Amino acid sequence: FYLTPPQVNSILKANEYSFKVPEFDGKNVSSVLGFDSNQLPANAPIEDRRSAATCLQTRGMLLGVFDGHAGCACAQAVSERLFYYIAISLLPHETLLEIENAVENGRALLPILQWHKHPNDYFSKEASKLYFNSLRTYWQELIDLNSGETTDVREALINAFKRLDNDISLEAQVGDPNSFLNYLVLRVAFSGSTACVAHVDGVDLHIANTGDSRAVLGVQEEDGSWSAVNLSYDHNAQNEHEVERVKMEHPKSEEKSLVKQDRLLGLLMPFRAFGDVKFKWSIELQKRVVESGPDQLNHNEYTKFIPPNYFTPPYLTAEPEVIHHKLRPQDKFLVLATDGLWETMHRQDVARIVGEYLTGVHHQQPIAVGGYKVTLGQMHGLLTERRARISSVFEDQNAATHLIRHAVGNNEFGTVDHERLSKMLSLPEELARMYRDDITIIVVQFNSHVIGAYQNEE
């Protein structure tokens, strides 16, 4: 079953979104030129989410990708709520007081975030009041705690992640008289989500990561070639430090059962995540909440079982690892993506493909055919395709779409094979998940001139 190129394009472009930062936003010239984002589902419905927003009361821009598991409820909640927690954590005391006074006196609130959303990225309206009340409790506590010091970004990011995860857990324990909301807060808490978030302010780039999505910086070397710099570490069994951390937090007697088949307690791939209260709450609390919860919860197999060898919870944290990077003129872009991309592509290839896409300049690597027996006909085909690729203006207007095209359609020679792309995109829902994961990508483009000017000022 083959799809025509226009059919392939309409599938690939269905969720694409681009935002160009206005030249001058009234406060300062931004170090971000803009961003492209896109998603390609494998699950139905897709379990990944993405978010992007400009902070209106402080400087800076927030961008993030969220990879859900056991459903999309937790990823949805985190994608809607986390940036508010981060923005509140960054606000000065006077602004928090202004906001609280406005709420108390029924006045209009200062807008905190300007969202950049695709029409498919929805907000759950039913929960907005509940979410707002939890956020308000948080800023009231920050007002009471006022130490007079300005919070640094690293601390703000860590506090926001931990606080939101704590609120997700509390809301589920307290429940809600409205049965729809009650079921919603339980679904959010019992499902899980990773998060990889970037905060860009001038030359300061902070990446806060929980789980196994990744942030990779695209750097243009002096000879024009591209290299990739990791700005996050995966929190999974492949990361020795992470395995050590988990072992340190539990008694020696559990050493053998903590990580089995490269999964936490033999079940969970990421070692850090939001939600997933099955790996955080005591057994008594899990039973009490499930038993008093709505009937739908009881029918959900996931909520009933207790993980094996569950002796000393919590086994899981949402605390992010934060990496700070000072931007340089050669840092051209940042790729934030869920593991669906990194499972199929190496970061070096990602940096090269995006770099060549953004500059329109292709460094001709010698054609590597490795151990393949290549006929003259195939060689001719490869060279013709390569010539066509240089002469054709890209069919993609969006860097994230261009990357997804490569992630799904690349052949062994590193070129997009239309036949392969067509096959992969026409797989029925129940099969798609066996071949690939949901893929969500945000490509942020930096303004080298502005970054250079910042550097000179310093």
Side-chain angles (χ1 to χ4, degrees), residues 385-398:
E385 187 180 351
R386 173 182 271 212
R387 188 177 310 125
R389 216 174 35 176
I390 304 157
S391 61
S392 75
V393 177
F394 282 113
E395 52 202 344
D396 295 318
Q397 263 74 64
N398 179 305

Side-chain angles (χ1 to χ4, degrees), residues 14-51:
N15 297 310
E16 65 180 13
Y17 179 85
S18 292
F19 176 75
K20 295 278 168 277
V21 174
E23 278 291 299
F24 187 73
D25 63 3
K27 283 185 290 191
N28 51 329
V29 184
S30 176
S31 55
V32 175
L33 283 169
F35 70 86
D36 289 341
S37 83
N38 201 350
Q39 294 188 299
L40 182 69
N43 291 297
I46 186 169
E47 295 185 345
D48 280 7
R49 293 291 184 271
R50 56 181 165 177
S51 291

Side-chain angles (χ1 to χ4, degrees), residues 229-298:
V229 177
N230 269 350
L231 288 183
S232 67
Y233 298 104
D234 294 357
H235 298 135
N236 57 23
Q238 273 61 59
N239 179 339
E240 288 167 25
H241 294 292
E242 198 57 12
V243 175
E244 275 315 297
R245 177 188 68 78
V246 172
K247 286 182 176 169
M248 292 289 289
E249 291 173 3
H250 299 277
K252 197 122 182 74
S253 56
E254 292 185 52
E255 204 163 358
K256 297 252 189 310
S257 58
L258 279 171
V259 180
K260 280 188 153 169
Q261 280 136 4
D262 281 352
R263 290 167 181 256
L264 189 64
L265 297 181
L267 296 167
L268 199 62
M269 290 286 269
F271 283 19
R272 303 190 193 194
F274 281 91
D276 279 321
V277 292
K278 304 247 14 120
F279 296 86
K280 293 173 181 171
W281 289 356
S282 68
I283 293 176
E284 299 73 51
L285 179 57
Q286 291 190 38
K287 285 189 170 148
R288 181 171 69 72
V289 170
V290 172
E291 279 161 19
S292 62
D295 288 343
Q296 301 115 294
L297 201 65
N298 271 313

Side-chain angles (χ1 to χ4, degrees), residues 305-316:
F305 84 96
I306 301 289
N309 304 301
Y310 197 77
F311 306 114
T312 53
Y315 288 91
L316 192 63

